[in-house]
Amino acid sequence: MFDLTRKYRQGTLLSVLVIFLLLLTLAAPAFAMSGGKVTVDRDTGGQLTRFTFAATTGADETVSRIDFLFPEGFEVSKARVDVTLLEGLKRIDAIYERRIDPQTGVVTVLFDPAVPPGSNLFMQIREVMTPIAGGTYVLPVEYRLLGDSAETTPRAIDGLSFKYKTPPREEVISRWLDGQGWVTTWNNVKFLNLFLKPQQFVRAVPLLFAGWLMSLALVLSAFPISIIGGLGTAFMKMSKVPPVRWLASIYINVIRGTPLFLQIFVVFIGLRTTGLRFPDFVSAIVVLAFNSSAYLAEIFRAGIQSISKGQFEAASSLGMSYWQAMRYVIIPQTVRRVLPTMTSEFILLFKDTALFAAVGIFELMLRSQNFVSRSGNLTAYVVAALYYLIITIPLINLVGRLEVKLAQSEHGVAAPTIKRRDRRTPALLSGPDFDTTAAKHESR
Amino acid sequence: MTQPVVRIVSLHKSFGALEVLKGVDLEVQRGEVVVILGPSGSGKSTMLRCVNHLEEPTSGEVWLQDVQINAQGANVNKVREHIGMVFQSFNLFPHLTAKGNVMLAQRKVLGRSEEEAARIADEQLAKVGLSDRADHYPSQLSGGQQQRVAIARALAMDPIVMLFDEVTSALDPELVRDVLEVMKELARGGMTMLVVTHEMGFARDVGSRVVFMDGGVIVEEGSPEQVFDNPQNDRTKDFLGHIS
Ligand SMILES: Nc1ncnc2c1ncn2[C@@H]1O[C@H](COP(=O)(O)OP(=O)(O)OP(=O)(O)O)[C@@H](O)[C@H]1O
Ligand SMILES: [Mg+2]
């Protein structure tokens, strides 16, 4: 009982409040056009935009004309106008005429018959070209009543504003491309449209840049660690102590004998399930460094063993210890010899960063994949390829030049054929002999 | 008799089942130039390499003055500082200039200062007639020049004894003379030397003693005149007959 009365009382209180508020809002239109509001259907500038204007005419106003005074920079010459008029909830036919002054940016709508008082007015001004620069713009709207003479100062609705953002540069270029004849012709070729659509290209370049940086960061962080790890492992492999040698062998063989893809999954998913949580970036570097160390170890070992025994004996006979001989005689020569192979290894490792797409690291590959799946266009893959090539082509070139230099400095002594990673990209790993002779002929 | 610079006692060396040295005894006195002759495979190089422990003797003793280099726990590196060795294949460090080659061990092993090492390197390179090649890399030098740099490199360590293992064998005939000249000069200066060579002229002119090896043993030794003009052993006779 008690509860019921209380609910009832609350209900009446609420209704009274609502009615009061309604009266408040209805009270205002008695004097002027009210509830004016402008919205735009685009969130960036520089494109054809639809403006929506809504207002209620005052109770004593019979509106015969509305002027929209677009600010400077707005292109209205192609503007079209739609009007919907409601009297209460009843739609009434609006008969109107549209006038445009492209010079001043004024869009005028003349109503005949005039809009009756208390009408809800919805107007759409379509195909207005907005300036690119974003910000908050004020749109002054003026109106005149039936019977006002030309001299009467028009009434104004103040404070109508709308805003949008400046589009990113690639967006602007892409839109510009949309309007170019050659682009249309280009895109009419199915293949070009699918793989090299200019608009997609322009959009993909900045979007994939971050991925490129990520890929680079991964390999640049991992590689120095691999060099140290590889050297350490190489010396372990050459150790006089059998168990140390075995340990190195097992490590090298397991890493080289299994796909990097698998190693990535083991570390990422394995670590997650054991509850050890590292940042993905750190885990990725760990896998890369672990993987690459094994390959570098073999490259270093082969390089060290390719130095003639006489070098070590000469150093020893001068009283140098094993490590002195290594440090001052063997390693410096090894570095020169393995530099080309090491560079090739770096190239491979850089490309291998693509595998991290599978575990959700936003490197180049994953970004391009996302872009492609969103746009349904393959151009992003081409952009990604270019990003890889920016790094790999100069390095491939460098490998060739290093090999020539090495061969020359060793005076006809053939560069050591160090076993290279056999699994990928044979083009990269063409034999040093071939490369060297080819380049030698060139340099003559 | 004074203490010998090098003393080899009952030296045996086997490579697996192959016994290369079958009991070699040799004493080298200060200032002596001992020339070692013998057919290929007789164990000359192996014996020389046992002297500075590049090969580990299977049994026997190798002494440098009062230090037994093949003793348990001997500081081999320390002993090697005092034994210069020159190889048939030069073995210069290709990543260093001639001067860099001569300086490296002075700096790292003897701990000499940069300036001192450089000064000594210049001196030694001048001695072997290569002052103008100091900044050349080995690949820019002829074989004879490389070998002389290698000699300078060994001499810069102030060795007590120098070991030469067929140092002219890899050289073109016209380059041999320069190297032999340097070695003669060195001998005249009183350096103790063990020289494996096929240069009979050098052995006769410079050698204070000639040792003939065959089959892993010393079969004959004596003054050059004795060995060359009046060899006692048949194998020596045979060998010398083939040579001259
Ligand atoms: N590291 C080694 N392992 C196995 N056998 C070896 C090794 N070094 C030398 N030998 C063998 O020992 C024997 C003697 O070699 P060594 O080089 O001492 O002879 P050499 O008298 O110097 O001959 P040459 O005049 O040809 O230089 C040869 O049969 C050689 O094959
Ligand atoms: Mg020999």
Side-chain angles (χ1 to χ4, degrees):
Chain A
M1 256 309 252
F2 176 71
D3 275 349
L4 210 79
T5 11
R6 190 166 164 185
K7 250 186 192 160
Y8 172 72
R9 271 199 204 138
Q10 273 182 345
T12 28
L13 212 76
L14 216 82
S15 342
V16 170
L17 211 90
V18 167
I19 289 163
F20 179 72
L21 281 173
L22 270 175
L23 280 175
L24 256 181
T25 44
L26 287 175
F31 312 106
M33 202 184 275
S34 70
K37 206 176 162 219
V38 173
T39 55
V40 287
D41 70 338
R42 297 291 159 102
D43 60 357
T44 55
Q47 50 189 336
L48 291 176
T49 303
R50 184 175 70 201
F51 285 75
T52 312
F53 169 76
T56 308
T57 52
D60 58 349
E61 293 177 328
T62 309
V63 175
S64 66
R65 166 179 174 157
I66 302 179
D67 293 281
F68 297 93
L69 283 64
F70 280 96
E72 210 180 315
F74 286 73
E75 174 62 47
V76 296
S77 56
K78 282 193 231 115
R80 289 187 285 129
V81 177
D82 286 322
V83 178
T84 308
L85 219 48
L86 296 176
E87 203 175 6
L89 287 174
K90 202 184 109 219
R91 187 181 166 140
I92 47 175
D93 286 336
I95 300 169
Y96 56 93
E97 184 192 333
R98 177 202 64 180
R99 272 190 213 156
I100 286 167
D101 184 349
Q103 241 66 49
T104 56
V106 176
V107 175
T108 304
V109 183
L110 298 162
F111 294 94
D112 188 18
V115 180
S119 300
N120 292 318
L121 197 56
F122 298 101
M123 301 179 69
Q124 289 186 348
I125 306 166
R126 288 183 285 140
E127 315 223 337
V128 174
M129 191 60 165
T130 54
I132 286 169
T136 300
Y137 289 93
V138 173
L139 178 65
V141 177
E142 295 176 356
Y143 62 99
R144 286 162 213 263
L145 303 181
L146 190 66
D148 280 355
S149 72
E151 285 83 51
T152 327
T153 14
R155 302 173 181 221
I157 310 174
D158 291 328
L160 290 183
S161 69
F162 58 90
K163 62 180 173 193
Y164 58 74
K165 293 195 283 275
T166 309
R169 181 176 307 156
E170 64 271 18
E171 183 69 36
V172 176
I173 299 171
S174 167
R175 282 184 211 149
W176 175 80
L177 286 169
D178 284 339
Q180 299 302 304
W182 69 268
V183 175
T184 317
T185 316
W186 175 283
N187 286 340
N188 277 341
V189 182
K190 204 169 177 184
F191 174 83
L192 294 178
N193 183 50
L194 192 59
F195 286 98
L196 277 169
K197 191 173 184 177
Q199 292 96 320
Q200 295 292 334
F201 192 95
V202 164
R203 284 162 193 263
V205 165
L207 221 82
L208 298 195
F209 182 72
W212 183 67
L213 287 184
M214 174 57 99
S215 294
L216 266 180
L218 283 171
V219 75
L220 288 178
S221 313
F223 203 66
I225 303 172
S226 320
I227 291 175
I228 295 164
L231 258 181
T233 312
F235 280 112
M236 282 173 70
K237 183 94 188 276
M238 294 185 292
S239 166
K240 282 189 196 121
V241 187
V244 175
R245 226 162 42 222
W246 297 335
L247 208 71
S249 279
I250 290 169
Y251 163 62
I252 290 171
N253 288 333
V254 167
I255 295 289
R256 299 209 325 165
T258 55
L260 174 56
F261 205 43
L262 180 115
Q263 294 160 20
I264 289 172
F265 273 56
V266 165
V267 168
F268 272 73
I269 293 159
L271 283 186
R272 272 172 208 172
T273 39
T274 54
L276 277 167
R277 286 240 48 158
F278 293 105
D280 281 355
F281 184 72
V282 175
S283 306
I285 288 170
V286 169
V287 189
L288 275 184
F290 247 83
N291 179 269
S292 186
S293 289
Y295 287 95
L296 284 180
E298 283 298 87
I299 291 170
F300 291 152
R301 188 190 53 78
I304 288 169
Q305 290 179 344
S306 78
I307 306 292
S308 84
K309 211 170 143 241
Q311 288 291 313
F312 191 81
E313 289 184 348
S316 300
S317 74
L318 288 164
M320 287 191 215
S321 68
Y322 176 84
W323 291 111
Q324 280 181 323
M326 276 296 159
R327 172 140 169 26
Y328 300 115
V329 176
I330 307 298
I331 301 286
Q333 296 183 54
T334 306
V335 167
R336 290 191 336 171
R337 287 201 184 181
V338 300
L339 219 50
T341 332
M342 257 175 83
T343 313
S344 297
E345 172 62 24
F346 180 88
I347 295 169
L348 291 170
L349 201 65
F350 176 57
K351 292 188 297 176
D352 281 348
T353 58
L355 294 173
F356 288 108
V359 288
I361 290 186
F362 273 91
E363 44 59 72
L364 193 43
M365 189 65 217
L366 184 53
R367 280 190 190 263
S368 60
Q369 223 173 313
N370 280 0
F371 194 99
V372 164
S373 59
R374 258 185 290 121
S375 64
N377 184 288
L378 302 181
T379 305
Y381 285 149
V382 175
V383 174
L386 290 176
Y387 269 125
Y388 282 115
L389 289 171
I390 288 172
I391 300 295
T392 54
I393 295 271
L395 286 180
I396 291 168
N397 226 295
L398 179 73
V399 171
R401 274 183 292 133
L402 284 174
E403 278 171 347
V404 173
K405 225 177 120 186
L406 182 71
Q408 279 169 351
S409 76
E410 302 205 343
H411 240 347
V413 178
T417 335
I418 294 164
K419 222 190 287 163
R420 301 175 181 218
R421 292 168 82 162
D422 33 27
R423 53 178 163 137
R424 290 154 294 183
T425 46
L428 249 183
L429 303 175
S430 53
D433 296 341
F434 174 78
D435 281 354
T436 314
T437 39
K440 250 188 189 160
H441 287 307
E442 233 172 53
S443 67
R444 267 179 203 157
Chain B
M1 211 153 125
T2 54
Q3 184 192 46
V5 176
V6 176
R7 188 157 64 93
I8 299 167
V9 183
S10 184
L11 177 62
H12 289 256
K13 173 65 183 174
S14 302
F15 293 108
L18 177 71
E19 191 174 28
V20 175
L21 297 180
K22 300 169 179 167
V24 174
D25 293 273
L26 184 70
E27 283 188 4
V28 183
Q29 300 297 329
R30 177 167 302 281
E32 256 195 312
V33 177
V34 175
V35 177
I36 300 151
L37 303 178
S40 180
S42 57
K44 306 181 295 291
S45 296
T46 306
M47 190 198 77
L48 216 56
R49 290 160 61 83
C50 282
V51 172
N52 69 350
H53 214 71
L54 285 180
E55 301 293 352
E56 193 181 351
T58 310
S59 69
E61 293 170 14
V62 178
W63 292 77
L64 182 76
Q65 294 180 329
D66 53 356
V67 182
Q68 189 186 346
I69 189 170
N70 67 326
Q72 278 281 324
N75 187 345
V76 174
N77 293 330
K78 194 78 198 152
V79 181
R80 281 175 179 158
E81 285 175 23
H82 306 292
I83 305 174
M85 184 160 192
V86 185
F87 303 85
Q88 180 177 347
S89 51
F90 325 143
N91 294 342
L92 288 187
F93 307 135
H95 60 298
L96 299 175
T97 61
K99 192 169 171 180
N101 267 273
V102 182
M103 285 174 67
L104 181 65
Q106 291 190 64
R107 302 267 296 114
K108 305 302 174 191
V109 177
L110 301 182
R112 285 180 185 156
S113 71
E114 179 87 28
E115 299 76 48
E116 195 187 2
R119 183 178 55 74
I120 293 173
D122 287 335
E123 264 171 41
Q124 294 298 345
L125 284 172
K127 251 192 214 166
V128 299
L130 288 174
S131 292
D132 56 336
R133 293 284 186 278
D135 295 325
H136 286 54
Y137 283 90
S139 61
Q140 301 166 316
L141 298 172
S142 75
Q145 290 169 336
Q146 288 189 57
Q147 196 57 295
R148 283 184 279 152
V149 173
I151 294 171
R153 178 174 70 179
L155 290 175
M157 303 295 286
D158 296 329
I160 305 170
V161 57
M162 287 283 288
L163 312 177
F164 294 86
D165 189 1
E166 297 196 36
V167 296
T168 56
S169 300
L171 299 178
D172 293 338
E174 66 270 24
L175 300 175
V176 169
R177 220 199 53 212
D178 290 339
V179 175
L180 290 181
E181 208 51 57
V182 167
M183 290 167 68
K184 271 183 199 165
E185 194 57 47
L186 203 56
R188 251 176 254 138
M191 175 62 74
T192 309
M193 294 160 70
L194 266 108
V195 184
V196 174
T197 186
H198 291 300
E199 298 289 333
M200 294 306 153
F202 176 86
R204 195 186 275 275
D205 295 350
V206 184
S208 27
R209 191 154 39 117
V210 173
V211 169
F212 182 77
M213 278 181 78
D214 194 14
V217 291
I218 294 175
V219 295
E220 186 165 355
E221 66 174 296
S223 68
E225 294 73 29
Q226 280 174 345
V227 175
F228 284 118
D229 301 334
N230 190 17
Q232 301 299 304
N233 190 287
D234 287 344
R235 284 185 279 181
T236 318
K237 285 179 198 163
D238 193 38
F239 177 77
L240 292 173
H242 274 109
I243 293 284
S244 42

